[in-house]
Amino acid sequence: MDEPFGALDSLTREQMQELLISVWEKTKKTIFLITHSIDEALSLATRIVVMSPRPGRIVARYEVDYVRRFSQGGDWSVIKTDPGFVRLREEIRALIHKSERAVIPSERVLAYE
């Protein structure tokens, strides 16, 4: 799934995320989701792969369990303010920004031509 919830308003986005979680719980199938939203990745994933911009390379991998905590009756408002959730969100954000700065501006322009 490539950015499936990107164009939705926040309420519909949350409802669709919860629907995806219920489908995942019922089917036990792997769902591959691409997103630019760190919160969405942390909320829906059991594994997160952070990639660098062009050339796309894996810069980090994480095993997370927030989706399981939610599916077992957890409250998103509590989960998303959990110190571990916040720390990991900021760590991933720092990795992404570090990777973006590593690209020379002229290379970035050429990549889009």
Side-chain angles (χ1 to χ4, degrees):
M1 300 174 75
D2 188 0
E3 299 274 354
F5 312 126
L8 303 176
D9 63 84
S10 70
L11 180 60
T12 305
R13 184 180 192 129
E14 287 177 17
Q15 291 170 338
M16 294 303 294
Q17 289 170 342
E18 289 176 15
L19 178 62
L20 180 64
I21 291 169
S22 71
V23 168
W24 171 70
E25 289 175 317
K26 288 175 186 166
T27 65
K28 307 296 185 209
K29 300 287 184 182
T30 298
I31 300 169
F32 189 86
L33 177 81
I34 298 169
T35 182
H36 286 88
S37 169
I38 299 168
D39 277 10
E40 185 168 75
L42 286 169
S43 300
L44 297 177
T46 56
R47 292 183 207 125
I48 296 174
V49 176
V50 180
M51 296 188 69
S52 68
R54 296 173 172 86
R57 293 205 170 97
I58 295 172
V59 295
R61 295 173 195 248
Y62 297 92
E63 299 281 331
V64 294
D65 70 346
Y66 299 106
V67 68
R68 287 190 179 100
R69 287 173 55 186
F70 177 76
S71 69
Q72 295 169 356
D75 178 354
W76 276 132
S77 62
V78 173
I79 293 170
K80 289 184 177 184
T81 58
D82 175 89
F85 186 98
V86 173
R87 179 195 52 76
L88 192 50
R89 180 179 62 216
E90 295 310 310
E91 182 179 320
I92 292 170
R93 178 175 281 119
L95 272 174
I96 291 168
H97 289 298
K98 180 181 177 185
S99 293
E100 287 175 349
R101 285 192 301 270
V103 176
I104 299 169
S106 63
E107 289 177 331
R108 194 175 285 163
V109 170
L110 290 174
Y112 290 103
E113 291 181 350

